[in-house]
Amino acid sequence: MIRALLWDVDGTLAETERDGHRVAFNQAFAAAGVPWRWSVERYGALLAISGGRERLLHDMDTQPAAPHGAAARDELARRLHALKNDCYAALVARGAVRLRAGVAALLEDCQRRGVALGIVTTTSRCNVAALLARVLGAGWAARFAVTVCAEEAPRKKPDPQAYALALAALGLASAEVVALEDSPAGIAAAQRAGIAAVHTRSYYFPDVPLAPLLAAGPSLGQTEGWHPAAARAERVSLAQLERWHCAPRRVS
Ligand code: XBP
Ligand code: MG
């Protein structure tokens, strides 16, 4: 039986990266007078690095105009990251990002059936709050029994720290929960905490070469294209997740 669903945020609850975080990073570069910008393609490659500040620091290794010296780079990364988060909040407040298809209905399934909800993300808490207040309303926080963000789990995915903290807060065993994730790092983090993961493919992560997954598919808003196959319906429901969770087989 599934006692809790643990949700990744970026790419899973919403497609935040290309038109949200990436745009906000570029706005921050412009505001700070930094000469480089991140294309859609370049940002996809940079998503291999979890965490916005860590991503900025990693990219500076390739930027000729980046400051020399670790301290100067660290200071710039912190400044750009704070600016980026302000820009991101403004973007989501304007409605630039929506919940992915099927997400709202699956959240409601859980609430009807008394299955706990959790957020497990490597994103800063301010970004989670800005997004969820816009897409779920001011009372969003009360719907989640646990919310683990970058501040609580500084060791970012694929480290299992965020998932381990969520399990401890919920007082549940890993076999009682299912993680919803879009990225290889997120899936690895869940699996390293012993949690079965469902992969909802996203714009930047259309395929994940990691196994074993509970199920993998294009969107919670449709039952076509899932492996193992989902029963025909309008969307992936909690009942469908439970069928996958009970099945002995795990897909590769
Ligand atoms: C998302 C991330 C984050 C976001 C940006 O991971 O890695 O870095 O891209 O947010 P997940 P911050 O899908 O696991 O939530 O700038 O706050 O890091
Ligand atoms: Mg993600």
Side-chain angles (χ1 to χ4, degrees):
M1 187 183 161
I2 299 174
R3 305 273 306 275
L5 277 196
L6 299 182
W7 293 82
D8 168 51
V9 174
D10 298 295
T12 302
L13 278 177
E15 280 281 13
T16 55
E17 296 289 10
R18 187 188 64 183
D19 303 326
H21 288 294
R22 184 190 68 88
V23 172
F25 276 114
N26 284 335
Q27 290 174 344
F29 297 150
V34 162
W36 61 83
R37 303 289 182 268
W38 287 346
S39 68
V40 169
E41 193 187 14
R42 172 75 182 141
Y43 192 67
L46 288 170
L47 281 178
I49 310 298
S50 290
R53 197 181 56 81
E54 292 84 347
R55 196 169 297 143
L56 285 160
L57 281 170
H58 172 86
D59 181 61
M60 281 185 213
D61 288 342
T62 70
Q63 298 293 352
H68 298 292
R73 285 188 181 192
D74 203 53
E75 190 279 320
L76 180 60
R78 281 180 199 285
R79 195 153 52 86
L80 288 171
H81 193 228
L83 272 173
K84 184 280 286 183
N85 288 346
D86 290 345
C87 295
Y88 178 79
L91 279 170
V92 299
R94 287 203 299 274
V97 180
R98 300 200 206 124
L99 281 182
R100 288 189 65 183
V103 168
L106 185 52
L107 293 174
E108 282 158 24
D109 285 353
C110 292
Q111 289 185 284
R112 258 197 314 275
R113 293 264 314 279
V115 170
L117 295 169
I119 297 285
V120 179
T121 178
T122 53
T123 302
S124 317
R125 186 166 283 270
C126 61
N127 295 330
V128 175
L131 175 69
L132 296 191
R134 179 64 167 81
V135 297
L136 293 177
W140 72 270
R143 298 178 66 176
F144 294 91
V146 60
T147 304
V148 180
C149 302
E151 288 80 356
E152 291 81 27
R155 298 203 305 273
K156 297 192 170 168
K157 301 173 186 177
D159 192 288
Q161 184 181 39
Y163 278 103
L165 286 171
L167 285 179
L170 290 167
L172 293 175
S174 57
E176 297 176 303
V177 313
V178 167
L180 292 132
E181 278 283 358
D182 72 308
S183 69
I187 290 166
Q191 290 176 339
R192 287 168 64 187
I195 298 171
V198 170
H199 178 218
T200 50
R201 296 198 277 271
S202 61
Y203 177 81
Y204 278 118
F205 299 109
D207 283 304
V208 170
L210 293 172
L213 292 162
L214 198 62
S219 159
L220 295 169
Q222 64 181 71
T223 51
E224 299 81 23
W226 280 84
H227 185 62
R232 271 178 81 95
E234 274 182 15
R235 62 179 178 86
V236 175
S237 62
L238 179 59
Q240 178 61 64
L241 293 188
E242 283 169 334
R243 283 193 289 276
W244 281 325
H245 194 240
C246 287
R249 197 169 62 89
R250 298 274 193 270
V251 295
S252 300

